[in-house]
Amino acid sequence: MAGHFEALPGGGAAVALDEVEISILRSLAVQLMELIGPGDEPVEGEDPLAALFAEGPSEPPSDPALKRLFPDAYGDEDEELRAAAADFRRYTENDLRARKREDALAVVRNLDALTSSGEGGAILKLTADESRAWLGALNDLRLTIGTRLEVTEEDESEALYRLPDSDPRKPMVMAYLWLGALQESLVETLMPGA
């Protein structure tokens, strides 16, 4: 099971993680939450329904990684599409940011709740809902790291595997590839009939 998710009854999944893997996953999830930014805390006495209709930003983020996590809904070929994308972002980005934060926080909480198996690691057991949160967080982590590394589709094949150990990008590339393998394993485990 090391590094490979297995199905659990009820639609969940389990994977064995060593202490280093737990530490890396937790650190990356915390960094993702910091990148996404804090959520707006409801003000005491404020109408909770009003918060549902709060407007978010209308401009795309300037950070390339955030731009990848929160892309424009429509192209920017003409002014009408840019206006539609701004409206769409204004009414959806806050919710999308909150969901991404919740997914990353679920990863942190699941990892913090682990107890050692006595061999320097633990077995992470996720419910079906937790598994979906993990899928979202793993995807967001890969998108963020891939953007920072400027990964293209061509890089996906062999170029990333052939980086020399002296390349300063090597640790992040290894994390990117490992997260991809975890994500693929979790997807396969959760597919019907798996």
Side-chain angles (χ1 to χ4, degrees):
M1 183 189 321
H4 184 79
F5 278 94
E6 292 183 9
L8 290 176
V15 65
L17 298 170
D18 65 33
E19 289 179 17
V20 172
E21 292 169 327
I22 292 167
S23 176
I24 291 170
L25 281 168
R26 188 182 191 290
S27 175
L28 290 173
V30 168
Q31 290 177 55
L32 179 62
M33 287 189 298
E34 290 170 356
L35 176 67
I36 292 169
D40 293 332
E41 295 296 321
V43 177
E44 190 172 321
E46 184 179 278
D47 179 6
L49 289 177
L52 289 175
F53 299 103
E55 292 186 13
S58 60
E59 295 295 319
S62 58
D63 183 307
L66 285 174
K67 196 174 214 174
R68 183 70 176 102
L69 291 175
F70 306 104
D72 273 334
Y74 311 105
D76 60 357
E77 291 81 36
D78 64 37
E79 195 166 325
E80 190 174 309
L81 287 176
R82 282 192 298 276
D87 283 342
F88 186 81
R89 179 179 299 283
R90 184 176 301 119
Y91 295 110
T92 61
E93 187 170 314
N94 286 345
D95 289 340
L96 187 55
R97 280 181 181 265
R99 185 185 57 77
K100 290 180 180 299
R101 260 191 306 277
E102 289 167 10
D103 288 350
L105 184 57
V107 169
V108 171
R109 286 181 175 153
N110 290 140
L111 293 172
D112 286 351
L114 286 176
T115 55
S116 177
S117 64
E119 299 172 10
I123 305 293
L124 174 69
K125 294 182 180 179
L126 303 172
T127 65
D129 286 341
E130 290 168 339
S131 295
R132 284 187 284 281
W134 270 71
L135 275 177
L138 288 171
N139 186 59
D140 292 342
L141 287 168
R142 286 194 76 238
L143 288 173
T144 301
I145 293 171
T147 301
R148 294 284 191 243
L149 291 170
E150 299 178 350
V151 172
T152 64
E153 286 184 36
E154 295 81 41
D155 294 331
E156 277 289 322
S157 56
E158 302 243 349
L160 292 178
Y161 292 100
R162 290 184 281 143
L163 279 179
D165 289 342
S166 60
D167 191 309
R169 299 172 299 161
K170 183 79 174 206
M172 287 310 293
V173 166
M174 297 306 294
Y176 176 80
L177 295 171
W178 174 60
L179 290 169
L182 272 179
Q183 182 182 16
E184 183 178 345
S185 170
L186 185 52
V187 166
E188 289 172 358
T189 299
L190 297 177
M191 290 179 64

